[in-house]
């Protein structure tokens, strides 16, 4: 008797984690002493948090017994209050502590947001190039990712997005996802573009999920958009944020989701199931950072903006390469090798130049999957851990590479 056919497990519905794949390339390579690895692959600081923050964390570990037990599912009340107050001031809107949930990193905030706004059998719109973990989560949930290709300026079009809501026979689009400053392209979405997408989402009864993980390194002074200034923002907007980058808390997993309390109540079910509560020590650090590190953050921002300028200056002397986008931690490059797809190029760059980048094939569909060729033509460079000298070294090695 034939055995019944088993359905594909949820995790098998998506691709392997890209950063882990890139690490395997490095493990298989050998780097000469005069050409050490230049790791431009991961958008995360490798330096520890500032010493003052580490002291706060150490003190909590030793003296605060409550830091070692389960906390509230939606985060420490003091941190939720601080986020609400600072975000209200920063964005010129009214955000209450009840609108704030703390999560174990921004990836978890995204996962929680999707479970709160999208139903089984619905779809979510993702601009491409996408952030790969967003696409992976939708794949695993069986939620269709409706792809919205960005233009040559790496900006999505609200007008083009509107046409995707009227596709005949397609599932309802429950949410639009925007990441700004963008990962992987570095593009900063103009305020008027954000407003246009908010109006579109509202008109279609969809949520607008805005991931602002890299907001602290935006080149613009002042609020990057005015979406929170709308008195009815809770009907549409879901804002995501990460403390990992700004305070170097990557290993302590602290993020945030700001949304209507009714949506947070839905997200709370997910969060309680997968983590029970966000890590206490990370939350204590995030709260201290918000209260005491404004000047330090400003200095970090200036450094990142200087590195962005160094990338722009460096790529200008590589005329065969094109800089499609540059901002926050990222530069998105179009390579000049027509017969060399980006995944093959990325592996060769590791072996022949000791540069580790991520190929565009990790951020969008290949041609055979319906893509327009952008995935094969592009590379993401993450310069979070490369100073001006390191960026100069990257440019020099790329100049010497021959396909």
């Amino acid at each position: 008797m034939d055995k019944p056919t088993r359905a594909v497990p949820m995790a098998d519905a998506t691709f392997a984690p890209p950063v882990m794949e890139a690490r395997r390339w490095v493990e298989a390579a050998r780097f000469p002493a005069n050409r050490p690895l230049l790791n431009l692959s991961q958008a995360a600081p490798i330096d520890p948090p500032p010493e003052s923050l580490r002291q706060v964390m150490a003190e909590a570990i030793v003296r605060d017994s409550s830091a070692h037990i389960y906390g509230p599912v939606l985060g420490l009340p003091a941190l939720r209050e601080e986020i609400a107050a600072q975000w209200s001031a920063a964005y010129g809107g009214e955000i209450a502590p009840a609108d704030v949930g703390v999560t174990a990193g921004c990836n978890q905030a995204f996962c929680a947001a999707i479970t709160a706004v999208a139903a089984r059998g619905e779809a979510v719109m993702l601009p491409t190039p996408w952030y790969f973990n967003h696409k992976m989560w939708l794949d695993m949930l069986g939620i269709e990712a409706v792809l919205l290709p960005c233009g040559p300026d790496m900006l999505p079009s609200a007008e083009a997005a509107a046409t995707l809501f009227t596709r005949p026979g397609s599932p309802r689009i429950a949410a639009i996802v925007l990441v700004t400053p963008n990962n992987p392209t570095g593009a900063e979405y103009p305020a008027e573009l954000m407003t246009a997408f908010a109006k579109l989402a509202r008109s279609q009864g969809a949520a607008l999920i805005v991931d602002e993980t890299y907001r602290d390194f935006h080149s613009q002074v002042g609020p990057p958009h005015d979406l929170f200034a709308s008195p009815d923002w809770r009907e549409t907007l879901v804002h995501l944020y990460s403390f990992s980058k700004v305070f170097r808390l990557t290993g302590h997993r602290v993020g945030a989701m700001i949304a209507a309390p009714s949506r947070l109540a839905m997200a709370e079910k997910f969060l309680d199931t997968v983590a029970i509560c966000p890590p206490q020590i990370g939350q204590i650090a995030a709260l201290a950072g918000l209260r005491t590190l404004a000047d330090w953050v400003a200095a970090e921002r200036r450094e990142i903006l200087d590195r962005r300028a160094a990338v722009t200056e460096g790529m200008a002397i590589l005329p065969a390469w094109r800089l499609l986008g540059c901002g926050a931690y990222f530069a998105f490059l179009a390579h000049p090798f027509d017969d060399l797809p980006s995944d093959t190029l990325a592996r060769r760059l590791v072996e022949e130049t000791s540069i580790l980048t991520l190929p565009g094939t990790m951020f969008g569909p290949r041609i055979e999957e319906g893509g327009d060729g952008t995935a094969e033509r592009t590379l993401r460079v993450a310069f979070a851990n490369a100073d001006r000298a390191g960026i100069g070294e990257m440019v020099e090695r790329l100049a010497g590479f021959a396909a």
Side-chain angles (χ1 to χ4, degrees):
M1 185 174 180
D2 292 336
K3 293 183 179 180
T5 301
R6 183 169 182 261
V8 174
M10 292 172 65
D12 200 38
T14 194
F15 42 84
V19 171
M20 300 303 103
E21 181 179 347
R23 286 182 181 177
R24 285 190 285 272
W25 301 344
V26 171
E27 291 168 0
R30 296 292 180 268
F31 305 108
N34 63 343
R35 198 188 66 206
L37 175 66
L38 186 56
N39 190 338
L40 302 172
S41 68
Q42 194 166 8
I46 58 174
D47 290 330
E51 185 175 356
S52 63
L53 215 56
R54 282 179 277 159
Q55 290 174 344
V56 168
M57 297 162 77
E59 188 76 8
I61 289 171
V62 173
R63 301 188 184 281
D64 186 354
S65 59
S66 68
H68 303 284
I69 61 175
Y70 291 143
V73 175
L74 290 178
L76 297 176
L79 180 55
R80 296 174 69 186
E81 291 168 5
E82 191 69 27
I83 292 171
Q86 291 205 19
W87 267 238
S88 294
Y91 287 95
E94 293 186 4
I95 301 167
D99 299 319
V100 179
V102 182
T103 59
C106 195
N107 269 16
Q108 191 187 75
F110 177 80
C111 296
I114 294 298
T115 65
V117 304
R120 191 177 291 112
E122 292 186 325
V124 169
M125 190 184 301
L126 286 186
T128 55
W130 61 53
Y131 171 49
F132 44 70
N133 285 149
H134 289 173
K135 179 63 163 59
M136 292 172 73
W137 182 238
L138 297 178
D139 289 347
M140 286 188 278
L141 288 185
I143 291 177
E144 180 184 348
V146 176
L147 303 185
L148 174 65
C150 289
D153 55 2
M154 294 293 107
L155 298 179
S157 163
E159 291 77 15
T163 67
L164 298 177
F165 280 93
T166 58
R167 302 170 308 145
S170 297
R172 172 182 177 269
I173 296 174
I176 303 169
V177 177
L178 301 179
V179 182
T180 179
N182 188 258
N183 178 4
T185 70
E188 298 175 346
Y189 294 180
E192 57 270 21
L193 181 66
M194 303 295 288
T195 299
F197 270 99
K199 289 180 178 178
L200 173 63
R202 188 178 300 112
S203 72
Q204 297 293 333
L208 178 64
I209 300 175
V210 179
D211 182 335
E212 294 190 82
T213 292
Y214 302 95
R215 180 196 69 180
D216 300 283
F217 310 110
H218 202 293
S219 64
Q220 175 182 310
V221 177
H225 58 76
D226 61 358
L227 301 185
F228 281 114
S230 172
D232 58 355
W233 68 262
R234 294 173 183 82
E235 296 178 12
T236 305
L237 180 61
V238 178
H239 163 93
L240 310 180
Y241 180 74
S242 171
F243 292 96
S244 295
K245 312 304 188 292
V246 64
F247 297 138
R248 303 178 186 164
L249 293 171
T250 53
H252 296 283
R253 313 312 303 132
V254 195
M257 172 181 170
I258 299 178
S262 59
R263 283 183 167 148
L264 285 181
M266 298 291 286
E268 188 176 32
K269 301 176 185 179
F270 171 83
L271 296 170
D272 182 53
T273 303
V274 299
I276 300 179
C277 68
Q280 298 261 42
I281 301 301
Q283 291 186 81
I284 290 168
L287 178 59
L290 286 174
R291 289 175 172 173
T292 66
L293 290 182
D295 290 343
W296 183 86
V297 171
E300 290 288 291
R301 173 178 174 272
R302 289 193 295 271
E303 173 61 25
I304 293 300
L305 291 178
D306 183 64
R307 294 180 187 185
R308 173 185 178 178
V311 170
T312 302
E313 294 160 10
M315 296 309 299
I317 66 175
L318 295 177
W321 294 73
R322 287 188 296 128
L323 185 61
L324 301 179
C326 192
Y329 284 180
F330 307 108
F332 204 58
L333 311 180
H335 68 77
F337 311 111
D338 292 339
D339 297 326
L340 197 59
S342 60
D343 53 342
T344 302
L345 173 60
R347 288 193 293 269
R348 283 191 56 184
L349 287 176
V350 172
E351 296 163 359
E352 299 175 34
T353 72
S354 304
I355 296 174
L356 179 62
T357 64
L358 296 188
T361 51
M362 292 179 172
F363 302 98
R366 299 171 183 267
I367 292 173
E368 62 265 26
E369 298 167 334
D372 61 5
T374 298
E376 287 85 351
R377 293 193 303 269
T378 52
L379 296 171
R380 187 193 79 174
V381 169
F383 50 83
N385 301 301
D387 57 14
R388 270 189 171 266
I391 292 166
E393 180 68 18
M394 174 196 75
V395 172
E396 185 175 328
R397 294 186 195 181
L398 289 180
F401 177 79

